[in-house]
Amino acid sequence: HSVCLMAQHLHALKHGRTRSPSLSLSPLQHRYRPRGGVFQKSSKLFSSPSAASSSSPSSTTSSMFFVRTVLRRCLSPAETPGVLNRDAEETSMSKSEPEDAATLAKELNSAILNLEVECFADDGSGVDYAAVPGSDAFQTYTERTKALKNVSLDALRALSEDTQRCFWLNLYNALTVHGIVTAFAEAAEKKRSPPLSVLEIKDFWNSTAYDVGGVEFSLDDMEHGILRGNRPHPTQKGATHYFQPSDTEKLKLVLEAEPRIHFCLVCGAQSCPPIRVFVENNLERGLVAAARGFCQREVEVDESRNTVTLSKIFDWYGVDFGAPDTTKLLTSVLGYLPDKDAQRAKLQTLLDKHASPKVKYRAYEWRLNNKNT
């Protein structure tokens, strides 16, 4: 039923009709959870609030791509990557020689830096997914990820907070690349076209994982459980925490929430922040640069209309930036913009006037951040 309704919506968009049928997508909610994305009823699923009253070519194109993607995901989904640093015969109980947490963290960071040089766009905006499997840096990286299974979680927790935050930020981004490359390889093996978006990969964020210290950590675990300070996933309505009391080992690794991680985590989509590699002795500078760069691209202030347009990330994760209080949210955004930025000056003017500006969120571009497309 959901697929048929989405097909109707796609047909309407193709023929220039802006009204769409009411969608009831609850059968899919537990199967598709984008990074922070939440299924909504009605046509709001396909466009941002800022585009709700318009039918611009860009928003229509984005909507059509989104519908096609979800249709491909429902009718012919890519397989879940799974735990990517275990061999087929291994389980979480398999043991080997223990690894020093600090040394391994540095080795993995070095391997990811080499991968960045070989396969990432210079500005971090894309990844050459076709080149990744054959790169020496990727082979070195994947080999070293196997050692994660033998790290003591207590030893990892004993590292400095900056070292831990860098470790999980870099591991999240590298795991995202690893998961997408795995989906490409599986598609080639089955003689199917590769995914055009991570939305086509079944249960990507909840099931793409590494074994760290004998415990499976998914992308969602790393983001919501560890880096966001154990705040609930946006789809966990009414929840107060992401990890549950039974997740005793994972709870050891929860870090203090740092909102700027949202400008650092890369979900494989074109609207995501550029991919970067972070180092613990320069983490603050890296976080500042990531926040400034992202907000300079994504924040648009229209004084005449008293509106501020933001990335959907500020909508999905508004609570991390002071929402639902709009003033707190915009004050947070103001702090991330460079001092002499024109949008910062306009936003400061609106806040000084106590104008209660309307906040809009632009449509998210879920196409894969493929360097070659």
Side-chain angles (χ1 to χ4, degrees):
H1 174 66
S2 298
V3 171
C4 290
L5 286 172
M6 283 188 284
Q8 292 174 35
H9 183 86
L10 177 59
H11 180 78
L13 287 168
K14 183 177 180 182
H15 293 281
R17 294 194 294 271
T18 58
R19 294 184 64 83
S20 62
S22 177
L23 299 179
S24 178
L25 300 175
S26 56
L28 303 179
Q29 284 185 1
H30 68 289
R31 295 178 60 194
Y32 160 54
R33 288 197 322 181
R35 191 181 89 82
V38 185
F39 264 117
Q40 302 176 45
K41 295 183 179 180
S42 84
S43 58
K44 290 182 180 179
L45 171 64
F46 303 100
S47 61
S48 70
S50 61
S53 60
S54 66
S55 56
S56 66
S58 60
S59 64
T60 299
T61 300
S62 178
S63 297
M64 291 177 70
F65 172 79
F66 189 91
V67 178
R68 288 194 187 104
T69 298
V70 177
L71 286 171
R72 280 167 56 100
R73 164 71 180 81
C74 297
L75 300 175
S76 183
E79 293 299 316
T80 301
V83 183
L84 298 181
N85 64 334
R86 285 186 198 151
D87 295 327
E89 68 276 7
E90 285 186 308
T91 69
S92 60
M93 301 303 292
S94 302
K95 296 293 182 181
S96 186
E97 291 298 314
E99 291 279 346
D100 179 72
T103 300
L104 181 58
K106 290 179 180 178
E107 290 176 353
L108 285 171
N109 276 10
S110 176
I112 297 169
L113 278 167
N114 290 334
L115 182 62
E116 178 186 37
V117 171
E118 292 186 20
C119 301
F120 299 170
D122 291 341
D123 62 358
S125 61
V127 178
D128 187 347
Y129 290 107
V132 170
S135 74
D136 292 338
F138 186 66
Q139 299 305 318
T140 300
Y141 168 75
T142 53
E143 186 62 32
R144 290 310 291 148
T145 62
K146 295 177 181 178
L148 286 167
K149 298 172 291 190
N150 306 311
V151 166
S152 162
L153 295 183
D154 288 331
L156 186 58
R157 186 69 185 92
L159 300 176
S160 72
E161 185 139 325
D162 280 357
T163 300
Q164 291 181 69
R165 189 167 281 114
C166 283
F167 174 83
W168 291 110
L169 282 172
N170 292 334
L171 198 65
Y172 179 101
N173 289 339
L175 176 55
T176 296
V177 173
H178 197 170
I180 293 170
V181 168
T182 300
F184 270 54
E186 289 176 349
E189 183 180 343
K190 296 180 179 180
K191 298 182 179 180
R192 292 163 46 177
S193 59
L196 301 176
S197 165
V198 283
L199 303 186
E200 294 179 21
I201 304 173
K202 184 179 179 182
D203 210 18
F204 184 75
W205 290 275
N206 194 43
S207 296
T208 304
Y210 283 143
D211 177 331
V212 181
V215 180
E216 292 181 17
F217 287 88
S218 70
L219 289 167
D220 273 347
D221 289 337
M222 295 178 191
E223 179 180 9
H224 308 293
I226 296 173
L227 290 166
R228 292 184 63 226
N230 201 28
R231 289 180 174 173
H233 189 288
T235 58
Q236 293 177 295
K237 300 303 181 184
T240 56
H241 299 93
Y242 179 79
F243 289 144
Q244 303 304 308
S246 57
D247 297 319
T248 52
E249 293 301 309
K250 294 180 179 181
L251 284 166
K252 294 179 181 179
L253 296 161
V254 173
L255 298 173
E256 183 179 349
E258 166 55 78
R260 292 175 295 179
I261 60 116
H262 295 296
F263 312 128
C264 307
L265 296 177
V266 179
C267 63
Q270 291 182 15
S271 283
C272 289
I275 191 165
R276 301 166 180 258
V277 181
F278 298 90
V279 292
E280 64 271 18
N281 60 357
N282 210 10
L283 177 60
E284 179 60 24
R285 181 176 294 180
L287 291 172
V288 169
R292 285 180 175 175
F294 185 79
C295 290
Q296 277 186 291
R297 289 189 304 275
E298 295 291 337
V299 177
E300 181 181 351
V301 182
D302 187 334
E303 288 185 273
S304 64
R305 295 178 181 270
N306 195 36
T307 61
V308 181
T309 303
L310 304 174
S311 163
K312 283 291 283 186
I313 286 176
F314 288 104
D315 184 19
W316 295 328
Y317 298 101
V319 66
D320 294 0
F321 298 99
D325 186 316
T326 301
T327 300
K328 288 183 179 179
L329 169 64
L330 294 178
T331 300
S332 294
V333 171
L334 182 73
Y336 300 135
L337 290 166
D339 290 341
K340 297 182 180 180
D341 183 79
Q343 300 304 312
R344 179 190 174 103
K346 293 178 183 178
L347 180 55
Q348 184 69 71
T349 299
L350 290 183
L351 290 173
D352 288 345
K353 290 180 179 178
H354 303 285
S356 301
K358 180 180 180 180
V359 177
K360 297 183 177 182
Y361 301 97
R362 62 173 47 88
Y364 210 73
E365 177 55 81
W366 283 106
R367 286 179 178 84
L368 203 64
N369 62 339
N370 197 330
K371 180 181 174 182
N372 296 322
T373 57

